[in-house]
Amino acid sequence: MATESITTRSVSDVPWADVRAVFGTRGDPAGCWCQFFKIGSAEFSGSPAQHLEALLCNQVKDQDVPPGVIAYLDGKPVGWCAVEPRSKYPRILRSKVVTGGSQESPEDGTVWAVSCFVVRTGYRRRGVSVELLNAAIAQARRLGARVIEGYPIDTAERKASSADLYHGPLSLFQNAGFEIVSRPLHGRAVVRMVLD
């Protein structure tokens, strides 16, 4: 049996068609395009998927900091991980998980966040999320992050559907070397890795 090859690239270095393939045309990713934490509730809930896709596309083109990384399995685009300075995510900064659990100042631009994972159906449980998180850490480090946070689900404490696991499971972050900072809500943790 041949070994599958997983590679990752910054979203700014891939064809937009590959991003579209990962987000798909149905399900939560196709209706979010990683904009939920970035825009207000009214704009998010009132926006068609095409508008949300355009927002992400513009963020990839217009920002100095790419908003994420894409994973490939044997050359096929199969996954996404959002990673940016935490200040890019107003809803995260206002969330109970962060206000009740982070030790970092909301104004600190050197604090980055891993906010979302997407792995296409049919490609899960094959190590894609592990490689996405490693690539997110590397991109944050390369672009000047001091600390990177995550807000995972503790699946040992709380059952979660695959849709709910977009935050990532706690074990994924712990295996990558993140430390638990707090547990502000049942089944949720704030984790961090110091990069400097």
Side-chain angles (χ1 to χ4, degrees), residues 2-16:
T3 304
E4 296 176 310
S5 171
I6 302 171
T7 58
T8 56
R9 294 174 63 193
S10 176
V11 68
S12 60
D13 297 333
V14 305
W16 191 251

Side-chain angles (χ1 to χ4, degrees), residues 157-171:
E157 193 174 284
R158 171 181 152 195
K159 288 201 183 252
S161 68
S162 59
D164 200 26
L165 283 174
Y166 73 91
H167 300 289
L170 178 58
S171 59

Side-chain angles (χ1 to χ4, degrees), residues 21-187:
V22 170
F23 280 87
T25 57
R26 60 190 177 94
D28 292 336
C32 182
W33 289 89
C34 268
Q35 299 306 301
F36 179 78
F37 294 120
K38 293 182 173 188
I39 61 178
S41 298
E43 182 182 0
F44 182 81
S45 61
S47 293
Q50 295 85 353
H51 173 68
L52 300 174
E53 178 186 354
L55 288 174
L56 181 59
C57 185
N58 289 336
Q59 290 157 11
V60 170
K61 286 192 283 187
D62 298 341
Q63 293 180 172
D64 292 335
V65 174
V69 293
I70 296 285
Y72 293 83
L73 183 65
D74 292 335
K76 295 179 192 146
V78 297
W80 156 267
C81 179
V83 59
E84 291 183 88
R86 198 175 57 170
S87 58
K88 300 280 187 183
Y89 302 118
R91 278 199 195 184
I92 285 179
L93 289 172
R94 292 190 307 267
S95 73
K96 290 180 182 178
V97 171
V98 170
T99 60
S102 178
Q103 298 172 347
E104 301 293 334
S105 167
E107 291 82 33
D108 189 339
T110 67
V111 178
W112 284 42
V114 171
S115 64
C116 179
F117 291 89
V118 174
V119 178
R120 291 171 57 192
T121 303
Y123 298 99
R124 296 175 184 155
R125 298 183 183 269
R126 292 160 93 170
V128 174
S129 293
V130 171
E131 295 306 322
L132 283 167
L133 183 55
N134 288 338
I137 294 165
Q139 181 161 294
R141 179 178 278 125
R142 186 177 69 254
L143 295 173
R146 177 183 59 84
V147 168
I148 186 168
E149 284 187 340
Y151 316 104
I153 305 281
D154 186 347
T155 56
E157 193 174 284
R158 171 181 152 195
K159 288 201 183 252
S161 68
S162 59
D164 200 26
L165 283 174
Y166 73 91
H167 300 289
L170 178 58
S171 59
L172 173 68
F173 286 89
Q174 287 182 300
N175 290 340
F178 283 73
E179 64 176 294
I180 297 173
V181 173
S182 65
R183 293 176 174 268
L185 298 173
H186 176 72

